[in-house]
Amino acid sequence: RVCTGVLIGGAALLAILFVFRETPAVSRIPAVGRLLNTPIASLSSNTRVMAWGVAIDAWRERPVFGWGPNNFYYAFNEYYRPAFLRYGWGETWFDNAHNIIMNTLATQGFVGIVTYLAIFGAAGWSLWRAYRERRLTIHTAVLATGFLVGHLVHNVFVFENPTSYLYFFFFLAFVNQSTLEGGEAREASRVGGRSLSWGVPVAVFLVAALFIYTTNLNPKRANNATLLAIQQLQVDPKHAVSLYREATVIPTPHVDDIRNDMARMITEYIPQLRAAGQDEIAKELAVLAFDELQKNLTLHPLDIRVHLLAAQLAFARAELFQDPLYVAVSEQLFTDALSKSPKRQQIQFALISVKMRLGKYAEGLAIAEETFGNDSTIGEVWWRRIIAYAEAGEIERAREILAEARQAGVAFSEEAERALDVYVPTSTEQLL
């Protein structure tokens, strides 16, 4: 009766809050007010909901076993939708569907999702069977079932992490122990009551210590060495390289991340070195970073983030060494990345610039038009297209497109306006 009363009272309270959701008293309630005032129509344009759609597309390609555990990132790249950029560059990278059902469906397919849901089904069935056999009270059965339902619903909007896994596994262990039949429980009690020799706890301790050392202490040492190397880049680049070498020889499963982090910082630091007239050091760092990224490309051939970073470094090498060969290398890396994420604007924009640098104007313009056709509601797509025509020498066409953009009310950022002033020098008044 108490539980029924609580459910009825909760439902009534929720109904009252919904009716008065637009009043200041309700709308100011943290989280609740925002949730109640969220338009239903806006959910379809939420980037997380869009990511769920990507997960379904990925599952359709590999419906049985999926893309493999932790591989949603690769599926997202292949089925990336241009509309993600409408919400900013930060919303164009997803390594998880933010929904355990959709994520499991994409990464582990039909087999994985059935297995995952079976865990909840088996736990719930065990609880209520134990209750019917009077081995469990109604309160325990109801509360435990509530936990299962709550955990599953919670995971529909997020994803598992070490903390949630920890309490979920402990809960499953509790369910298992609580629902054992009499004979099984007595047997478990007898086994648990046996005395252990010193050899077992010592062996367990040694294995645990080795596990902690290899998965925690060694990565910590490597990360600290990498941080010191990054800090030394602007102080003593040669010492930074030495520290980086030390970091990469420390056994750690994250050596690929160490290479990526160092290469990213070097890419950002090269312009400062060139401005300071330290081209030789810049060359040494560019070669180091590019060579290290080649190892990551071998290790992760589908990771387009490595492709993008390596392509940027190849372009930097071309300028530092005055070697056009590396412009072609950059083009090849961007092209390879685009084949793995065909509609990602970040790659398309970069590839357009490289094509123009190589004098492949027709190819660059074709990519610009394709990007525009994928989603013409994004301001950056317009101005990148305009600049592409200007770089190809088609100034009049660039001015026509700019006039179309002004007439359509396309809003450009300050950066875009400055770029347009350089590439298409004409006033707004003249265009109108």
Side-chain angles (χ1 to χ4, degrees):
R1 293 179 180 178
V2 174
C3 292
T4 303
V6 170
L7 288 174
I8 294 174
L13 177 61
L14 184 60
I16 293 171
L17 290 174
F18 181 78
V19 170
F20 296 99
R21 64 187 182 278
E22 295 181 0
T23 63
V26 175
S27 62
R28 291 173 183 170
I29 299 176
V32 176
R34 180 180 177 185
L35 177 63
L36 292 173
N37 285 282
T38 300
I40 299 299
S42 69
L43 292 178
S44 62
S45 62
N46 183 283
T47 53
R48 290 196 178 190
V49 177
M50 291 165 62
W52 301 351
V54 169
I56 293 174
D57 292 340
W59 170 71
R60 286 172 177 162
E61 180 180 338
R62 304 182 184 184
V64 182
F65 296 108
W67 288 66
N70 297 320
N71 282 347
F72 181 80
Y73 167 74
Y74 303 115
F76 180 82
N77 285 337
E78 181 165 331
Y79 289 98
Y80 169 86
R81 300 175 180 180
F84 278 99
L85 186 55
R86 298 177 189 175
Y87 306 95
W89 287 107
E91 295 296 323
T92 61
W93 296 94
F94 276 70
D95 58 6
N96 196 294
H98 292 269
N99 179 323
I100 194 65
I101 303 297
M102 295 300 178
N103 201 73
T104 304
L105 196 63
T107 59
Q108 297 171 59
F110 179 77
V111 173
I113 193 62
V114 170
T115 304
Y116 179 75
L117 294 176
I119 295 174
F120 292 86
W125 180 81
S126 297
L127 286 167
W128 288 99
R129 186 189 67 166
Y131 165 69
R132 287 193 301 270
E133 296 176 357
R134 299 184 182 280
R135 291 183 285 107
L136 211 61
T137 67
I138 185 62
H139 304 90
T140 303
V142 169
L143 290 174
T145 303
F147 175 90
L148 285 171
V149 173
H151 187 75
L152 182 59
V153 172
H154 169 266
N155 283 349
V156 169
F157 301 97
V158 290
F159 49 89
E160 295 280 13
N161 58 70
T163 302
S164 65
Y165 270 135
L166 188 63
Y167 68 68
F168 185 52
F169 293 155
F170 271 118
F171 173 79
L172 293 178
F174 161 76
V175 171
N176 179 68
Q177 180 63 30
S178 300
T179 58
L180 286 176
E181 296 184 6
E184 294 174 330
R186 287 193 295 273
E187 181 64 23
S189 177
R190 285 198 296 272
V191 172
R194 291 176 183 173
S195 60
L196 297 175
S197 65
W198 280 101
V200 174
V202 169
V204 170
F205 174 80
L206 291 176
V207 171
L210 179 62
F211 183 78
I212 292 172
Y213 180 78
T214 55
T215 61
N216 286 270
L217 296 182
N218 264 342
K220 176 180 179 296
R221 292 172 54 219
N223 290 342
N224 286 342
T226 305
L227 179 60
L228 289 174
I230 291 174
Q231 291 173 339
Q232 285 294 309
L233 267 178
Q234 297 188 17
V235 180
D236 186 349
K238 291 188 178 298
H239 186 215
V241 171
S242 177
L243 289 171
Y244 169 73
R245 298 292 189 192
E246 293 177 11
T248 55
V249 298
I250 299 173
T252 172
H254 308 298
V255 65
D256 51 345
D257 291 325
I258 290 174
R259 295 186 191 121
N260 285 340
D261 290 341
M262 191 66 176
R264 187 178 301 106
M265 296 307 299
I266 287 174
T267 303
E268 294 177 3
Y269 186 47
I270 284 176
Q272 298 179 38
L273 288 172
R274 297 196 66 188
Q278 297 179 298
D279 282 7
E280 292 305 314
I281 296 177
K283 289 179 181 178
E284 181 181 344
L285 291 177
V287 171
L288 168 69
F290 185 79
D291 290 346
E292 290 296 284
L293 285 178
Q294 298 311 299
K295 300 174 184 177
N296 277 4
L297 283 172
T298 301
L299 191 62
H300 302 295
L302 299 179
D303 193 340
I304 62 174
R305 291 169 297 191
V306 182
H307 287 77
L308 296 179
L309 192 54
Q312 292 177 43
L313 279 164
F315 203 86
R317 285 186 69 167
E319 293 184 337
L320 283 165
F321 291 90
Q322 295 298 303
D323 186 351
L325 172 64
Y326 277 96
V327 180
V329 171
S330 179
E331 178 192 26
Q332 180 182 0
L333 287 165
F334 281 130
T335 302
D336 191 21
L338 190 60
S339 70
K340 296 170 175 59
S341 189
K343 295 186 177 182
R344 186 176 287 278
Q345 297 99 329
Q346 183 173 354
I347 305 174
Q348 293 169 325
F349 293 157
L351 190 55
I352 290 170
S353 297
V354 173
K355 294 286 188 184
M356 294 302 170
R357 175 71 176 267
L358 292 171
K360 299 180 179 180
Y361 302 124
E363 294 180 19
L365 292 175
I367 297 172
E369 290 296 345
E370 180 184 351
T371 308
F372 181 78
N374 289 337
D375 192 333
S376 61
T377 65
I378 301 168
E380 187 161 355
V381 170
W382 280 88
W383 69 265
R384 294 275 187 176
R385 178 178 173 226
I386 293 168
I387 290 175
Y389 275 97
E391 289 185 321
E394 299 187 30
I395 300 296
E396 289 305 316
R397 178 57 181 151
R399 288 175 177 168
E400 289 175 5
I401 298 172
L402 179 56
E404 292 173 11
R406 301 290 191 198
Q407 188 172 5
V410 177
F412 294 121
S413 64
E414 292 183 7
E415 175 194 1
E417 292 289 359
R418 288 194 296 269
L420 291 171
D421 286 341
V422 172
Y423 285 92
V424 191
T426 184
S427 66
T428 304
E429 290 77 11
Q430 289 174 318
L431 289 169
L432 297 176

